[in-house]
Amino acid sequence: MAASPDSDDRLRREQVRLLAGNVPALVTGTLVLAAGTSGLLWINQQSPTWILIWLAAMVVLCLFRLAMAKCFARLDRANNWPTGRWARWFVWVSCVAGLLWGSLAWAFFTPDQPLNLATVAIVLMSITSSATQSLAPSFAAHLAFALPCVLPFELHCMLSEGLPLTLLGGLACWFLLMAEVFARRVAMAIEDALRLRFDNESLVAQLTAENLRTEQANQSKTRFLAAASHDLRQPIHAMALFVPALKAMSQRRQMEPTAVGIVADRMQGAIDTMTQLLNRLLDVSRLDAGAMRPALQPVALAPLMRKVCDEVTHQANVKGLSVRCQASDLCVHTDPAILHTILSNLAANAVRYTQRGGILLAARRRGSQVLLQVWDTGAGIAAADLPRVTEEFFQVESQARDASQSRGFGLGLAIVRRSTELLGSSLQCRSQLGRGSVFGLTLPEAQTPIEAGKEASVTAPTLHAASNASPRLVLVVDNDERILTAMTVLLRSWGHDTLAASSLAQASRLLATPARRPDVALVDMHLDADVDGLQAVDALRRQLDTDLRALIITGDTSASVAADISAAHLPVMLKPIDPVRLRSFIETDGALNATTPTGTTG
């Protein structure tokens, strides 16, 4: 695999650092060997003048190398040095050092003095061998040193008369070749070791980052569950107070229908609050798990945005706010249900935190994109809070909210952010305290909208029970006795007869009497004895030899269960069920649009 330019640059920088780190030891060795060589030359009666000149040049070079290494160390601490320039500097200095050592072959080559010639040969071969270690990080630096160091001696020997000198020159050439082969291998080994170190450091960094993300996710999950637990306990606490109050009312000689109705309404409100929170938690979990897949198609914005405006108009009118929609005839390529979820949440939040003025839903063309925005004239969001507004359960404490409104859960913008990312966009936000906020996203423009009315089917319609419906015989199959009892009480309060069964076998026995043929069956998805609701419905239909109307009721929101129910072409309601929609399904023969709830607002 080819190395990236960044990794190559990092490799060269590390090679330069290694060369610089070897300078002190290299200088020490050079000075000791240079001094010893000068002494041997002096003993061999070579020119004192040339010996002193050569030794002085070597000392100057060593001082320059130390100064260069010190300058490099200062720049390296700030990590502020050009890689290529410093790499070339070390190569050139190595070349100068090689020339100085190689000058021994020019100034002190004495064929008629074998002892002096042997001294020069041994010194040159020794310094070349030691350079294989000191200059090993850079093969270029070693080559730049070895060639001017050994070639002059080799050429002098080869050009001199006599077989011994010719053989000595040949041996010097062979030594140079071997020295470069081993220098190249050492350099490659160091390069491989550096790359391996870089890979290990990268893996360690990735593991550290992953551990940090995991730790942050665990902390976030802990905060998430703590906040969810708190918000769930609130309505449960309210119901725990209403139940004994209702019992106390039942013990009175005369019950006050108005008071009982108020308690029932409050209990229903607590149940609605829990349902909304559970639905929102479901939305967040499905988005995080990647269970939602956008069905992209051309969507006309005007009908969808008007629908969102209609949903918040009543609450806005109660607060004296205006609601405007500017969509013109623009179309976008998106998933209409997910886009409806985004705009509904943004519009609901805008109404919730706006006390005067109004909100505006607008769509504007931006090149090949369409910018959708929700403006409000509310309290605004502080700059310090903007990065956190899309976190789960985060709510801006400084924002004013009408006392008549229920408290939000702090999940709306978290769902909006995830939904926006699911559409391949990103949530944009600008806000100013005291003046309002604007949230937006961009989507690709489409040329052809879907057929009129298709985008309106993004949410289930509100269903109302028929007040004059004839009594029905309803079969309820659920393995939880408490649910069977509660459902029986509810259905009888609506004037219907019930057959309650805790298993498919019991239901089959109840239907053994020909007179007992239910009009509708309410079947839990998960029953005992490894029988699910789909199998139960199929068995009951075969037993009755009729297409029995059936509704699957489940608390399982997994994708596999949803797919199985969809494949069976059966309507489904998620627990906790909506009594109004349930009554409508029982008392009318119309189809029930009961799918997994998404995109709830509030």
Side-chain angles (χ1 to χ4, degrees), residues 280 284 342 345-347 349-350 353 381 386 388-394 396 399 409-420 427 429 439 602:
R280 282 190 170 278
V284 171
I342 294 171
N345 277 287
L346 292 177
N349 272 355
Y353 295 110
I381 305 170
L386 276 177
R388 298 191 59 200
V389 293
T390 58
E391 294 180 5
E392 295 87 356
F393 294 104
F394 179 80
V396 180
Q399 286 191 337
F409 301 118
L411 289 172
L413 289 180
I415 294 173
V416 167
R417 175 176 60 82
R418 287 168 168 81
S419 301
T420 303
L427 182 63
C429 177
F439 289 86

PDB file of all heavy atoms in Angstrom, residues 280 284 342 345-347 349-350 353 381 386 388-394 396 399 409-420 427 429 439 602:
ATOM      1  N   ARG A 280     -41.218   9.601  22.236  1.00  0.00           N
ATOM      2  CA  ARG A 280     -40.018  10.379  21.916  1.00  0.00           C
ATOM      3  C   ARG A 280     -38.755   9.555  22.176  1.00  0.00           C
ATOM      4  O   ARG A 280     -37.810   9.583  21.402  1.00  0.00           O
ATOM      5  CB  ARG A 280     -39.993  11.662  22.732  1.00  0.00           C
ATOM      6  CG  ARG A 280     -40.931  12.719  22.154  1.00  0.00           C
ATOM      7  CD  ARG A 280     -40.710  14.051  22.845  1.00  0.00           C
ATOM      8  NE  ARG A 280     -41.418  15.099  22.133  1.00  0.00           N
ATOM      9  CZ  ARG A 280     -40.961  15.705  21.052  1.00  0.00           C
ATOM     10  NH1 ARG A 280     -39.800  15.340  20.546  1.00  0.00           N
ATOM     11  NH2 ARG A 280     -41.652  16.650  20.460  1.00  0.00           N
ATOM     12  N   VAL A 284     -35.847   8.543  19.464  1.00  0.00           N
ATOM     13  CA  VAL A 284     -34.407   8.721  19.656  1.00  0.00           C
ATOM     14  C   VAL A 284     -33.679   7.391  19.482  1.00  0.00           C
ATOM     15  O   VAL A 284     -32.661   7.300  18.803  1.00  0.00           O
ATOM     16  CB  VAL A 284     -34.118   9.322  21.051  1.00  0.00           C
ATOM     17  CG1 VAL A 284     -32.617   9.305  21.343  1.00  0.00           C
ATOM     18  CG2 VAL A 284     -34.645  10.747  21.131  1.00  0.00           C
ATOM     19  N   ILE A 342     -39.400  16.909  11.561  1.00  0.00           N
ATOM     20  CA  ILE A 342     -38.470  18.013  11.826  1.00  0.00           C
ATOM     21  C   ILE A 342     -39.216  19.328  11.963  1.00  0.00           C
ATOM     22  O   ILE A 342     -39.066  20.064  12.947  1.00  0.00           O
ATOM     23  CB  ILE A 342     -37.419  18.089  10.699  1.00  0.00           C
ATOM     24  CG1 ILE A 342     -36.536  16.839  10.711  1.00  0.00           C
ATOM     25  CG2 ILE A 342     -36.578  19.352  10.825  1.00  0.00           C
ATOM     26  CD1 ILE A 342     -35.622  16.723   9.505  1.00  0.00           C
ATOM     27  N   ASN A 345     -41.586  19.553  15.102  1.00  0.00           N
ATOM     28  CA  ASN A 345     -40.861  19.798  16.342  1.00  0.00           C
ATOM     29  C   ASN A 345     -40.376  21.239  16.436  1.00  0.00           C
ATOM     30  O   ASN A 345     -40.473  21.882  17.491  1.00  0.00           O
ATOM     31  CB  ASN A 345     -39.677  18.837  16.454  1.00  0.00           C
ATOM     32  CG  ASN A 345     -40.069  17.482  17.005  1.00  0.00           C
ATOM     33  OD1 ASN A 345     -40.352  17.342  18.188  1.00  0.00           O
ATOM     34  ND2 ASN A 345     -40.097  16.486  16.142  1.00  0.00           N
ATOM     35  N   LEU A 346     -39.836  21.748  15.346  1.00  0.00           N
ATOM     36  CA  LEU A 346     -39.337  23.123  15.358  1.00  0.00           C
ATOM     37  C   LEU A 346     -40.476  24.120  15.558  1.00  0.00           C
ATOM     38  O   LEU A 346     -40.353  25.086  16.328  1.00  0.00           O
ATOM     39  CB  LEU A 346     -38.588  23.419  14.056  1.00  0.00           C
ATOM     40  CG  LEU A 346     -37.264  22.663  13.848  1.00  0.00           C
ATOM     41  CD1 LEU A 346     -36.672  22.992  12.486  1.00  0.00           C
ATOM     42  CD2 LEU A 346     -36.274  23.011  14.949  1.00  0.00           C
ATOM     43  N   ALA A 347     -41.600  23.897  14.874  1.00  0.00           N
ATOM     44  CA  ALA A 347     -42.741  24.810  15.013  1.00  0.00           C
ATOM     45  C   ALA A 347     -43.323  24.749  16.419  1.00  0.00           C
ATOM     46  O   ALA A 347     -43.674  25.780  17.011  1.00  0.00           O
ATOM     47  CB  ALA A 347     -43.806  24.470  13.971  1.00  0.00           C
ATOM     48  N   ASN A 349     -41.765  23.939  19.209  1.00  0.00           N
ATOM     49  CA  ASN A 349     -40.838  24.627  20.109  1.00  0.00           C
ATOM     50  C   ASN A 349     -40.949  26.138  19.964  1.00  0.00           C
ATOM     51  O   ASN A 349     -40.861  26.886  20.941  1.00  0.00           O
ATOM     52  CB  ASN A 349     -39.400  24.185  19.825  1.00  0.00           C
ATOM     53  CG  ASN A 349     -39.019  22.942  20.610  1.00  0.00           C
ATOM     54  OD1 ASN A 349     -39.782  22.464  21.432  1.00  0.00           O
ATOM     55  ND2 ASN A 349     -37.846  22.410  20.340  1.00  0.00           N
ATOM     56  N   ALA A 350     -41.097  26.596  18.720  1.00  0.00           N
ATOM     57  CA  ALA A 350     -41.212  28.040  18.488  1.00  0.00           C
ATOM     58  C   ALA A 350     -42.431  28.611  19.211  1.00  0.00           C
ATOM     59  O   ALA A 350     -42.355  29.666  19.846  1.00  0.00           O
ATOM     60  CB  ALA A 350     -41.289  28.319  16.989  1.00  0.00           C
ATOM     61  N   TYR A 353     -41.959  28.624  23.221  1.00  0.00           N
ATOM     62  CA  TYR A 353     -41.067  29.591  23.862  1.00  0.00           C
ATOM     63  C   TYR A 353     -41.211  30.997  23.292  1.00  0.00           C
ATOM     64  O   TYR A 353     -40.299  31.802  23.397  1.00  0.00           O
ATOM     65  CB  TYR A 353     -39.622  29.113  23.727  1.00  0.00           C
ATOM     66  CG  TYR A 353     -39.372  27.831  24.477  1.00  0.00           C
ATOM     67  CD1 TYR A 353     -39.151  26.637  23.798  1.00  0.00           C
ATOM     68  CD2 TYR A 353     -39.386  27.807  25.868  1.00  0.00           C
ATOM     69  CE1 TYR A 353     -38.944  25.453  24.479  1.00  0.00           C
ATOM     70  CE2 TYR A 353     -39.174  26.629  26.555  1.00  0.00           C
ATOM     71  CZ  TYR A 353     -38.960  25.457  25.865  1.00  0.00           C
ATOM     72  OH  TYR A 353     -38.747  24.295  26.551  1.00  0.00           O
ATOM     73  N   ILE A 381     -31.808  32.205  22.640  1.00  0.00           N
ATOM     74  CA  ILE A 381     -30.921  31.251  23.308  1.00  0.00           C
ATOM     75  C   ILE A 381     -29.551  31.879  23.458  1.00  0.00           C
ATOM     76  O   ILE A 381     -29.013  32.455  22.506  1.00  0.00           O
ATOM     77  CB  ILE A 381     -30.814  29.936  22.506  1.00  0.00           C
ATOM     78  CG1 ILE A 381     -32.206  29.342  22.260  1.00  0.00           C
ATOM     79  CG2 ILE A 381     -29.934  28.913  23.219  1.00  0.00           C
ATOM     80  CD1 ILE A 381     -32.201  28.182  21.275  1.00  0.00           C
ATOM     81  N   LEU A 386     -26.155  27.359  22.881  1.00  0.00           N
ATOM     82  CA  LEU A 386     -26.443  26.899  21.519  1.00  0.00           C
ATOM     83  C   LEU A 386     -25.844  25.527  21.198  1.00  0.00           C
ATOM     84  O   LEU A 386     -26.521  24.688  20.599  1.00  0.00           O
ATOM     85  CB  LEU A 386     -25.948  27.932  20.495  1.00  0.00           C
ATOM     86  CG  LEU A 386     -26.901  29.096  20.213  1.00  0.00           C
ATOM     87  CD1 LEU A 386     -26.265  30.077  19.242  1.00  0.00           C
ATOM     88  CD2 LEU A 386     -28.222  28.587  19.655  1.00  0.00           C
ATOM     89  N   ARG A 388     -25.523  23.068  23.029  1.00  0.00           N
ATOM     90  CA  ARG A 388     -26.133  22.002  23.822  1.00  0.00           C
ATOM     91  C   ARG A 388     -27.632  21.828  23.579  1.00  0.00           C
ATOM     92  O   ARG A 388     -28.229  20.903  24.132  1.00  0.00           O
ATOM     93  CB  ARG A 388     -25.912  22.280  25.318  1.00  0.00           C
ATOM     94  CG  ARG A 388     -24.457  22.321  25.760  1.00  0.00           C
ATOM     95  CD  ARG A 388     -24.371  22.334  27.265  1.00  0.00           C
ATOM     96  NE  ARG A 388     -25.009  21.155  27.833  1.00  0.00           N
ATOM     97  CZ  ARG A 388     -25.425  21.067  29.091  1.00  0.00           C
ATOM     98  NH1 ARG A 388     -25.277  22.092  29.913  1.00  0.00           N
ATOM     99  NH2 ARG A 388     -26.006  19.965  29.536  1.00  0.00           N
ATOM    100  N   VAL A 389     -28.214  22.692  22.782  1.00  0.00           N
ATOM    101  CA  VAL A 389     -29.673  22.650  22.666  1.00  0.00           C
ATOM    102  C   VAL A 389     -30.181  21.371  21.999  1.00  0.00           C
ATOM    103  O   VAL A 389     -31.347  21.023  22.147  1.00  0.00           O
ATOM    104  CB  VAL A 389     -30.210  23.879  21.887  1.00  0.00           C
ATOM    105  CG1 VAL A 389     -29.998  25.148  22.662  1.00  0.00           C
ATOM    106  CG2 VAL A 389     -29.579  23.955  20.504  1.00  0.00           C
ATOM    107  N   THR A 390     -29.296  20.662  21.273  1.00  0.00           N
ATOM    108  CA  THR A 390     -29.724  19.415  20.634  1.00  0.00           C
ATOM    109  C   THR A 390     -29.382  18.191  21.476  1.00  0.00           C
ATOM    110  O   THR A 390     -29.551  17.061  21.005  1.00  0.00           O
ATOM    111  CB  THR A 390     -29.085  19.274  19.239  1.00  0.00           C
ATOM    112  OG1 THR A 390     -27.661  19.318  19.369  1.00  0.00           O
ATOM    113  CG2 THR A 390     -29.539  20.389  18.319  1.00  0.00           C
ATOM    114  N   GLU A 391     -28.895  18.392  22.704  1.00  0.00           N
ATOM    115  CA  GLU A 391     -28.645  17.254  23.594  1.00  0.00           C
ATOM    116  C   GLU A 391     -29.962  16.771  24.192  1.00  0.00           C
ATOM    117  O   GLU A 391     -30.896  17.553  24.402  1.00  0.00           O
ATOM    118  CB  GLU A 391     -27.691  17.656  24.725  1.00  0.00           C
ATOM    119  CG  GLU A 391     -26.277  17.991  24.252  1.00  0.00           C
ATOM    120  CD  GLU A 391     -25.385  18.386  25.412  1.00  0.00           C
ATOM    121  OE1 GLU A 391     -25.854  18.297  26.581  1.00  0.00           O
ATOM    122  OE2 GLU A 391     -24.243  18.804  25.164  1.00  0.00           O
ATOM    123  N   GLU A 392     -29.999  15.472  24.502  1.00  0.00           N
ATOM    124  CA  GLU A 392     -31.206  14.903  25.085  1.00  0.00           C
ATOM    125  C   GLU A 392     -31.495  15.540  26.445  1.00  0.00           C
ATOM    126  O   GLU A 392     -30.606  15.679  27.284  1.00  0.00           O
ATOM    127  CB  GLU A 392     -31.077  13.388  25.255  1.00  0.00           C
ATOM    128  CG  GLU A 392     -30.965  12.618  23.959  1.00  0.00           C
ATOM    129  CD  GLU A 392     -29.540  12.532  23.488  1.00  0.00           C
ATOM    130  OE1 GLU A 392     -28.662  13.137  24.140  1.00  0.00           O
ATOM    131  OE2 GLU A 392     -29.287  11.864  22.473  1.00  0.00           O
ATOM    132  N   PHE A 393     -32.745  15.927  26.678  1.00  0.00           N
ATOM    133  CA  PHE A 393     -33.265  16.447  27.942  1.00  0.00           C
ATOM    134  C   PHE A 393     -32.673  17.799  28.327  1.00  0.00           C
ATOM    135  O   PHE A 393     -32.872  18.247  29.447  1.00  0.00           O
ATOM    136  CB  PHE A 393     -33.042  15.437  29.091  1.00  0.00           C
ATOM    137  CG  PHE A 393     -33.834  14.180  28.937  1.00  0.00           C
ATOM    138  CD1 PHE A 393     -33.214  13.012  28.526  1.00  0.00           C
ATOM    139  CD2 PHE A 393     -35.190  14.161  29.166  1.00  0.00           C
ATOM    140  CE1 PHE A 393     -33.926  11.838  28.361  1.00  0.00           C
ATOM    141  CE2 PHE A 393     -35.927  12.991  29.005  1.00  0.00           C
ATOM    142  CZ  PHE A 393     -35.285  11.838  28.605  1.00  0.00           C
ATOM    143  N   PHE A 394     -31.928  18.440  27.414  1.00  0.00           N
ATOM    144  CA  PHE A 394     -31.407  19.768  27.739  1.00  0.00           C
ATOM    145  C   PHE A 394     -32.478  20.808  27.462  1.00  0.00           C
ATOM    146  O   PHE A 394     -33.074  20.836  26.391  1.00  0.00           O
ATOM    147  CB  PHE A 394     -30.160  20.086  26.916  1.00  0.00           C
ATOM    148  CG  PHE A 394     -29.609  21.471  27.201  1.00  0.00           C
ATOM    149  CD1 PHE A 394     -28.836  21.689  28.322  1.00  0.00           C
ATOM    150  CD2 PHE A 394     -29.899  22.532  26.362  1.00  0.00           C
ATOM    151  CE1 PHE A 394     -28.335  22.944  28.603  1.00  0.00           C
ATOM    152  CE2 PHE A 394     -29.409  23.796  26.632  1.00  0.00           C
ATOM    153  CZ  PHE A 394     -28.628  24.006  27.754  1.00  0.00           C
ATOM    154  N   VAL A 396     -33.251  25.088  28.040  1.00  0.00           N
ATOM    155  CA  VAL A 396     -32.697  26.383  28.419  1.00  0.00           C
ATOM    156  C   VAL A 396     -33.516  26.947  29.564  1.00  0.00           C
ATOM    157  O   VAL A 396     -34.716  27.203  29.440  1.00  0.00           O
ATOM    158  CB  VAL A 396     -32.707  27.358  27.219  1.00  0.00           C
ATOM    159  CG1 VAL A 396     -32.128  28.704  27.625  1.00  0.00           C
ATOM    160  CG2 VAL A 396     -31.912  26.758  26.063  1.00  0.00           C
ATOM    161  N   GLN A 399     -35.405  30.500  29.301  1.00  0.00           N
ATOM    162  CA  GLN A 399     -36.482  30.743  28.361  1.00  0.00           C
ATOM    163  C   GLN A 399     -37.823  30.794  29.086  1.00  0.00           C
ATOM    164  O   GLN A 399     -38.185  29.900  29.851  1.00  0.00           O
ATOM    165  CB  GLN A 399     -36.516  29.651  27.296  1.00  0.00           C
ATOM    166  CG  GLN A 399     -35.385  29.789  26.283  1.00  0.00           C
ATOM    167  CD  GLN A 399     -35.592  28.872  25.113  1.00  0.00           C
ATOM    168  OE1 GLN A 399     -36.280  27.872  25.198  1.00  0.00           O
ATOM    169  NE2 GLN A 399     -35.004  29.213  23.984  1.00  0.00           N
ATOM    170  N   PHE A 409     -40.048  17.888  27.079  1.00  0.00           N
ATOM    171  CA  PHE A 409     -39.151  16.858  27.589  1.00  0.00           C
ATOM    172  C   PHE A 409     -37.698  17.143  27.263  1.00  0.00           C
ATOM    173  O   PHE A 409     -36.806  16.442  27.734  1.00  0.00           O
ATOM    174  CB  PHE A 409     -39.531  15.497  26.988  1.00  0.00           C
ATOM    175  CG  PHE A 409     -40.936  15.082  27.283  1.00  0.00           C
ATOM    176  CD1 PHE A 409     -41.842  14.884  26.265  1.00  0.00           C
ATOM    177  CD2 PHE A 409     -41.354  14.903  28.595  1.00  0.00           C
ATOM    178  CE1 PHE A 409     -43.142  14.505  26.539  1.00  0.00           C
ATOM    179  CE2 PHE A 409     -42.643  14.529  28.874  1.00  0.00           C
ATOM    180  CZ  PHE A 409     -43.544  14.323  27.849  1.00  0.00           C
ATOM    181  N   GLY A 410     -37.416  18.133  26.423  1.00  0.00           N
ATOM    182  CA  GLY A 410     -36.040  18.373  26.025  1.00  0.00           C
ATOM    183  C   GLY A 410     -35.525  17.359  25.025  1.00  0.00           C
ATOM    184  O   GLY A 410     -34.326  17.133  24.917  1.00  0.00           O
ATOM    185  N   LEU A 411     -36.441  16.722  24.284  1.00  0.00           N
ATOM    186  CA  LEU A 411     -36.044  15.725  23.288  1.00  0.00           C
ATOM    187  C   LEU A 411     -36.326  16.172  21.857  1.00  0.00           C
ATOM    188  O   LEU A 411     -35.845  15.560  20.915  1.00  0.00           O
ATOM    189  CB  LEU A 411     -36.772  14.398  23.546  1.00  0.00           C
ATOM    190  CG  LEU A 411     -36.333  13.605  24.766  1.00  0.00           C
ATOM    191  CD1 LEU A 411     -37.261  12.427  24.990  1.00  0.00           C
ATOM    192  CD2 LEU A 411     -34.906  13.124  24.608  1.00  0.00           C
ATOM    193  N   GLY A 412     -37.123  17.238  21.717  1.00  0.00           N
ATOM    194  CA  GLY A 412     -37.536  17.661  20.381  1.00  0.00           C
ATOM    195  C   GLY A 412     -36.369  17.976  19.470  1.00  0.00           C
ATOM    196  O   GLY A 412     -36.279  17.468  18.349  1.00  0.00           O
ATOM    197  N   LEU A 413     -35.441  18.813  19.939  1.00  0.00           N
ATOM    198  CA  LEU A 413     -34.315  19.194  19.093  1.00  0.00           C
ATOM    199  C   LEU A 413     -33.319  18.051  18.927  1.00  0.00           C
ATOM    200  O   LEU A 413     -32.614  17.990  17.918  1.00  0.00           O
ATOM    201  CB  LEU A 413     -33.617  20.425  19.680  1.00  0.00           C
ATOM    202  CG  LEU A 413     -34.410  21.730  19.570  1.00  0.00           C
ATOM    203  CD1 LEU A 413     -33.638  22.889  20.176  1.00  0.00           C
ATOM    204  CD2 LEU A 413     -34.735  22.044  18.101  1.00  0.00           C
ATOM    205  N   ALA A 414     -33.248  17.149  19.913  1.00  0.00           N
ATOM    206  CA  ALA A 414     -32.404  15.966  19.748  1.00  0.00           C
ATOM    207  C   ALA A 414     -32.929  15.112  18.597  1.00  0.00           C
ATOM    208  O   ALA A 414     -32.156  14.595  17.778  1.00  0.00           O
ATOM    209  CB  ALA A 414     -32.359  15.159  21.045  1.00  0.00           C
ATOM    210  N   ILE A 415     -34.249  14.958  18.525  1.00  0.00           N
ATOM    211  CA  ILE A 415     -34.857  14.210  17.425  1.00  0.00           C
ATOM    212  C   ILE A 415     -34.665  14.956  16.112  1.00  0.00           C
ATOM    213  O   ILE A 415     -34.373  14.354  15.073  1.00  0.00           O
ATOM    214  CB  ILE A 415     -36.350  13.978  17.709  1.00  0.00           C
ATOM    215  CG1 ILE A 415     -36.523  13.049  18.919  1.00  0.00           C
ATOM    216  CG2 ILE A 415     -37.061  13.401  16.491  1.00  0.00           C
ATOM    217  CD1 ILE A 415     -37.945  12.895  19.384  1.00  0.00           C
ATOM    218  N   VAL A 416     -34.798  16.276  16.150  1.00  0.00           N
ATOM    219  CA  VAL A 416     -34.622  17.080  14.939  1.00  0.00           C
ATOM    220  C   VAL A 416     -33.209  16.921  14.392  1.00  0.00           C
ATOM    221  O   VAL A 416     -33.014  16.731  13.189  1.00  0.00           O
ATOM    222  CB  VAL A 416     -34.936  18.561  15.236  1.00  0.00           C
ATOM    223  CG1 VAL A 416     -34.448  19.453  14.098  1.00  0.00           C
ATOM    224  CG2 VAL A 416     -36.425  18.758  15.434  1.00  0.00           C
ATOM    225  N   ARG A 417     -32.212  17.014  15.276  1.00  0.00           N
ATOM    226  CA  ARG A 417     -30.817  16.890  14.816  1.00  0.00           C
ATOM    227  C   ARG A 417     -30.573  15.529  14.172  1.00  0.00           C
ATOM    228  O   ARG A 417     -30.005  15.441  13.080  1.00  0.00           O
ATOM    229  CB  ARG A 417     -29.854  17.095  15.981  1.00  0.00           C
ATOM    230  CG  ARG A 417     -28.384  16.855  15.608  1.00  0.00           C
ATOM    231  CD  ARG A 417     -27.458  17.163  16.765  1.00  0.00           C
ATOM    232  NE  ARG A 417     -27.747  16.345  17.923  1.00  0.00           N
ATOM    233  CZ  ARG A 417     -27.317  15.101  18.082  1.00  0.00           C
ATOM    234  NH1 ARG A 417     -26.590  14.515  17.139  1.00  0.00           N
ATOM    235  NH2 ARG A 417     -27.607  14.425  19.182  1.00  0.00           N
ATOM    236  N   ARG A 418     -31.011  14.462  14.832  1.00  0.00           N
ATOM    237  CA  ARG A 418     -30.794  13.125  14.280  1.00  0.00           C
ATOM    238  C   ARG A 418     -31.557  12.948  12.963  1.00  0.00           C
ATOM    239  O   ARG A 418     -31.057  12.348  12.014  1.00  0.00           O
ATOM    240  CB  ARG A 418     -31.236  12.060  15.286  1.00  0.00           C
ATOM    241  CG  ARG A 418     -30.288  11.915  16.478  1.00  0.00           C
ATOM    242  CD  ARG A 418     -30.955  11.065  17.541  1.00  0.00           C
ATOM    243  NE  ARG A 418     -30.054  10.639  18.597  1.00  0.00           N
ATOM    244  CZ  ARG A 418     -29.706  11.384  19.625  1.00  0.00           C
ATOM    245  NH1 ARG A 418     -30.176  12.621  19.720  1.00  0.00           N
ATOM    246  NH2 ARG A 418     -28.884  10.913  20.553  1.00  0.00           N
ATOM    247  N   SER A 419     -32.787  13.459  12.910  1.00  0.00           N
ATOM    248  CA  SER A 419     -33.593  13.324  11.695  1.00  0.00           C
ATOM    249  C   SER A 419     -32.970  14.106  10.547  1.00  0.00           C
ATOM    250  O   SER A 419     -32.971  13.651   9.397  1.00  0.00           O
ATOM    251  CB  SER A 419     -35.025  13.808  11.955  1.00  0.00           C
ATOM    252  OG  SER A 419     -35.637  13.067  12.989  1.00  0.00           O
ATOM    253  N   THR A 420     -32.438  15.287  10.850  1.00  0.00           N
ATOM    254  CA  THR A 420     -31.789  16.097   9.823  1.00  0.00           C
ATOM    255  C   THR A 420     -30.569  15.382   9.265  1.00  0.00           C
ATOM    256  O   THR A 420     -30.339  15.359   8.048  1.00  0.00           O
ATOM    257  CB  THR A 420     -31.386  17.460  10.405  1.00  0.00           C
ATOM    258  OG1 THR A 420     -32.545  18.117  10.939  1.00  0.00           O
ATOM    259  CG2 THR A 420     -30.778  18.353   9.340  1.00  0.00           C
ATOM    260  N   LEU A 427     -28.463  20.532  11.004  1.00  0.00           N
ATOM    261  CA  LEU A 427     -29.331  21.528  11.615  1.00  0.00           C
ATOM    262  C   LEU A 427     -28.554  22.822  11.834  1.00  0.00           C
ATOM    263  O   LEU A 427     -27.480  22.820  12.434  1.00  0.00           O
ATOM    264  CB  LEU A 427     -29.869  21.007  12.952  1.00  0.00           C
ATOM    265  CG  LEU A 427     -30.842  21.927  13.692  1.00  0.00           C
ATOM    266  CD1 LEU A 427     -32.101  22.144  12.868  1.00  0.00           C
ATOM    267  CD2 LEU A 427     -31.181  21.348  15.064  1.00  0.00           C
ATOM    268  N   CYS A 429     -28.604  26.803  13.334  1.00  0.00           N
ATOM    269  CA  CYS A 429     -29.289  27.565  14.374  1.00  0.00           C
ATOM    270  C   CYS A 429     -28.591  28.897  14.597  1.00  0.00           C
ATOM    271  O   CYS A 429     -27.358  28.953  14.713  1.00  0.00           O
ATOM    272  CB  CYS A 429     -29.330  26.761  15.677  1.00  0.00           C
ATOM    273  SG  CYS A 429     -30.094  27.672  17.048  1.00  0.00           S
ATOM    274  N   PHE A 439     -34.136  28.259  13.167  1.00  0.00           N
ATOM    275  CA  PHE A 439     -33.573  26.938  12.914  1.00  0.00           C
ATOM    276  C   PHE A 439     -33.834  26.594  11.454  1.00  0.00           C
ATOM    277  O   PHE A 439     -34.901  26.928  10.919  1.00  0.00           O
ATOM    278  CB  PHE A 439     -34.224  25.880  13.810  1.00  0.00           C
ATOM    279  CG  PHE A 439     -33.843  25.997  15.256  1.00  0.00           C
ATOM    280  CD1 PHE A 439     -34.542  26.838  16.105  1.00  0.00           C
ATOM    281  CD2 PHE A 439     -32.779  25.264  15.766  1.00  0.00           C
ATOM    282  CE1 PHE A 439     -34.198  26.949  17.438  1.00  0.00           C
ATOM    283  CE2 PHE A 439     -32.434  25.359  17.102  1.00  0.00           C
ATOM    284  CZ  PHE A 439     -33.139  26.205  17.943  1.00  0.00           C
ATOM    285  N   GLY A 602     -44.209  18.478  20.746  1.00  0.00           N
ATOM    286  CA  GLY A 602     -44.572  18.888  22.088  1.00  0.00           C
ATOM    287  C   GLY A 602     -43.459  18.780  23.042  1.00  0.00           C
ATOM    288  O   GLY A 602     -42.482  18.144  22.826  1.00  0.00           O
TER     289      GLY A 602
END
